[in-house]
């Protein structure tokens, strides 16, 4: 009983014991709840389930241990008659900790909404994914900026209006120093809004070609067809000529054929019809024209134009191969010979 009659910092020991019990109880309960929801989140994530239950479990699982400790201490401190200055300090620490935790929860909400929209639109509109990623970064920046300003406003001795004015002047100086970085940043926003390409597009930039893997705030990463990663700064990328093959709906093909000049005229008249018949018999292929367009030393020349209705390069090459083999077989059946380069050399005796 003597212990309970004592005081610590002019506060009865019984109140300290009650506060300690509250601290342990609050922390134990919140930590157990956090652990339960965290296990549930991991189980739902492993099963591939994407629903509101996963989001709620994930949000609770994101609750920081430090936040739980400070929350428990704050609740326990309510039974202790601290001095006003110390009470103000405890309240300030609790407010700052709560704001940071709200920021963490806010990040989870933003990520959940953006990821959900991205999964729903990735097949119908892949270009929207790039826009959503940029919106995600901007929203995260805005949330943390607001939280930092609120924290600074609650700190004693800091005038937030003067601070913002000072940051504006400093921002101008910083902008001049990092104008190249800012140029890449605005170029990134231009790529997101204008969408000259999106993730997964096959593009050619100058002499480089590959598939877009990532569009960042400063650079864009492209996986070349040889396998290496190509990194372009966004400003350089937009100032270059970009060919986007993903948006190609059909591929125009020009085929030049040269047959022997010894081919009978009747056969020469039939060649365009033969080729048209072969091309029209193929799937995903549209015949345009076939003409005898030149007669010269290399033989009789034909120009054939047709379209392959696909953007897939492998399918395109497969159709070309089938058409070329069919033309070879038909020419063999019709005994039509291809022209071969030849050169006649006359040897004479200058003295004769």
């Amino acid at each position: 009983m003597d212990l309970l009659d004592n005081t610590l910092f002019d506060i009865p020991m019984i109140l300290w014991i009650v506060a300690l019990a509250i601290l342990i109880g609050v922390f134990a309960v919140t930590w157990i709840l956090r652990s339960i929801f965290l296990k549930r989140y991991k189980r739902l994530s492993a099963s591939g389930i994407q629903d509101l239950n996963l989001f709620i479990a994930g949000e609770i699982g994101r609750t920081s241990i430090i936040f739980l400790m400070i929350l428990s201490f704050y609740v326990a401190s309510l039974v202790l008659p601290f001095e006003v200055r110390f009470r103000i300090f405890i309240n300030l620490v609790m407010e700052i900790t709560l704001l940071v935790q709200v920021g963490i929860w806010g990040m989870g909400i933003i990520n959940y909404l953006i990821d959900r929209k991205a999964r729903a639109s990735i097949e119908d509109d892949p270009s929207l994914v790039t826009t959503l990623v940029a919106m995600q970064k901007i929203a995260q920046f805005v949330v943390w900026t607001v939280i930092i300003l609120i924290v600074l406003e609650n700190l004693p001795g800091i005038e937030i209006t003067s601070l913002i004015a000072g940051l504006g002047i400093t921002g101008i100086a910083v902008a001049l120093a990092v104008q190249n970085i800012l140029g890449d940043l605005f170029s990134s926003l231009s790529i997101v809004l204008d969408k000259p390409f999106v993730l997964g597009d096959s593009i050619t930039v100058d002499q480089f070609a590959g598939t877009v893997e990532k569009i960042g705030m400063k650079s864009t990463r492209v996986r070349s067809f040889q396998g290496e990663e190509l990194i372009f700064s966004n400003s350089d990328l937009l100032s270059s000529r970009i060919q986007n093959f993903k948006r190609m709906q059909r591929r125009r093909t020009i085929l030049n054929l040269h047959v022997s000049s010894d081919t009978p005229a009747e056969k020469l008249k039939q060649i365009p019809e033969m080729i048209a018949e072969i091309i029209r018999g193929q799937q995903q292929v549209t015949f345009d024209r076939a003409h005898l367009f030149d007669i010269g030393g290399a033989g009789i020349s034909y120009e054939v134009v047709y379209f392959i209705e696909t953007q897939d390069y492998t399918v395109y090459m497969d159709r070309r191969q089938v058409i070329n083999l069919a033309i070879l077989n038909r020419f063999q059946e019709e005994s039509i010979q291809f022209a071969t380069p030849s050169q006649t050399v006359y040897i004479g005796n200058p003295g004769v």
Side-chain angles (χ1 to χ4, degrees):
M1 297 296 294
D2 294 338
L3 178 62
L4 298 179
D5 293 335
N6 293 331
T7 61
L8 181 63
F9 299 112
D10 295 329
I11 298 175
M13 190 60 66
I14 184 65
L15 292 182
W16 284 105
I17 294 174
V18 172
L20 180 61
I22 293 175
L23 187 150
I24 296 174
V26 172
F27 181 77
V29 171
T30 54
W31 184 81
I32 291 173
L33 289 174
R34 177 184 179 276
S35 300
I36 292 173
F37 279 96
L38 189 58
K39 291 180 180 178
R40 179 176 177 83
Y41 173 78
K42 292 179 180 179
R43 186 171 65 253
L44 293 174
S45 297
S47 63
I49 299 175
Q50 301 287 341
D51 59 5
L52 187 60
N53 291 328
L54 176 65
F55 164 68
I56 296 175
E59 284 296 279
I60 297 177
R62 289 187 186 92
T63 304
S64 171
I65 296 293
I66 297 177
F67 172 73
L68 296 181
M69 294 174 62
I70 295 178
L71 175 64
S72 302
F73 177 81
Y74 174 78
V75 174
S77 70
L78 295 177
V79 302
L80 299 173
F82 289 127
E83 294 181 358
V84 175
R85 288 184 299 176
F86 191 63
R87 174 62 61 189
I88 293 175
F89 174 75
I90 293 175
N91 292 340
L92 180 61
V93 172
M94 186 64 224
E95 289 175 3
I96 294 175
T97 307
L98 179 60
L99 286 171
V100 173
Q101 184 59 57
V102 168
I104 296 174
W105 287 332
M107 293 301 98
I109 295 173
I110 292 171
N111 293 338
Y112 171 76
L113 296 176
I114 296 295
D115 292 345
R116 183 178 179 182
K117 182 64 176 178
R119 286 194 301 270
S121 60
I122 191 170
E123 294 183 358
D124 298 333
D125 187 9
S127 63
L128 183 60
V129 177
T130 305
T131 304
L132 291 174
V133 171
M135 292 175 58
Q136 183 180 28
K137 300 296 184 183
I138 295 173
Q140 291 174 349
F141 175 78
V142 171
V143 168
W144 284 115
T145 300
V146 171
I147 289 176
I148 292 173
L149 291 177
I150 295 175
V151 169
L152 292 175
E153 186 178 10
N154 289 326
L155 292 177
I158 296 181
E159 182 63 37
I160 191 67
T161 305
S162 302
L163 179 62
I164 293 176
L167 289 176
I169 298 174
T170 305
I172 296 175
V174 172
L176 294 175
V178 295
Q179 54 182 331
N180 291 334
I181 297 177
L182 292 177
D184 288 329
L185 176 61
F186 287 118
S187 296
S188 173
L189 294 177
S190 177
I191 292 173
V192 168
L193 297 176
D194 192 45
K195 299 183 182 67
F197 54 83
V198 297
L199 296 178
D201 281 5
S202 296
I203 64 172
T204 295
V205 183
D206 296 331
Q207 73 271 28
F208 302 102
T211 303
V212 179
E213 286 191 340
K214 180 182 179 181
I215 302 174
M217 302 303 290
K218 188 179 187 305
S219 63
T220 295
R221 300 173 187 270
V222 177
R223 182 68 59 183
S224 76
F225 298 132
Q226 288 74 31
E228 70 270 17
E229 185 180 60
L230 305 174
I231 303 175
F232 302 91
S233 69
N234 290 327
S235 56
D236 290 343
L237 194 59
L238 287 185
S239 63
S240 304
R241 291 179 175 84
I242 303 173
Q243 292 178 282
N244 193 334
F245 296 101
K246 186 67 175 293
R247 299 178 185 178
M248 180 186 297
Q249 301 300 320
R250 53 179 3 196
R251 292 177 180 265
R252 185 172 184 264
T253 303
I254 299 177
L255 175 63
N256 292 314
L257 299 174
H258 306 283
V259 300
S260 174
S261 56
D262 296 332
T263 305
E266 191 63 30
K267 292 283 187 181
L268 295 176
K269 293 180 182 179
Q270 297 175 4
I271 287 177
E273 297 177 2
M274 296 179 192
I275 296 175
E277 180 183 351
I278 291 171
I279 294 176
R280 290 190 176 113
Q282 307 300 321
Q283 295 181 350
Q284 293 181 289
V285 180
T286 302
F287 175 77
D288 184 27
R289 60 181 178 83
H291 293 97
L292 189 159
F293 81 99
D294 192 24
I295 301 175
I300 311 298
S301 299
Y302 287 86
E303 184 177 77
V304 181
V305 179
Y306 60 91
F307 295 91
I308 299 179
E309 309 294 339
T310 183
Q311 58 181 226
D312 191 312
Y313 188 75
T314 302
V315 175
Y316 164 73
M317 292 302 297
D318 289 342
R319 295 291 181 271
R320 286 194 65 174
Q321 177 175 273
V322 170
I323 291 172
N324 291 339
L325 291 175
I327 292 174
L328 288 174
N329 292 332
R330 184 63 181 272
F331 278 20
Q332 289 179 357
E333 294 174 359
E334 299 292 338
S335 300
I336 299 175
Q337 301 293 324
F338 286 98
T340 56
S342 61
Q343 184 176 14
T344 304
V345 179
Y346 295 94
I347 301 176
N349 189 342
V352 177

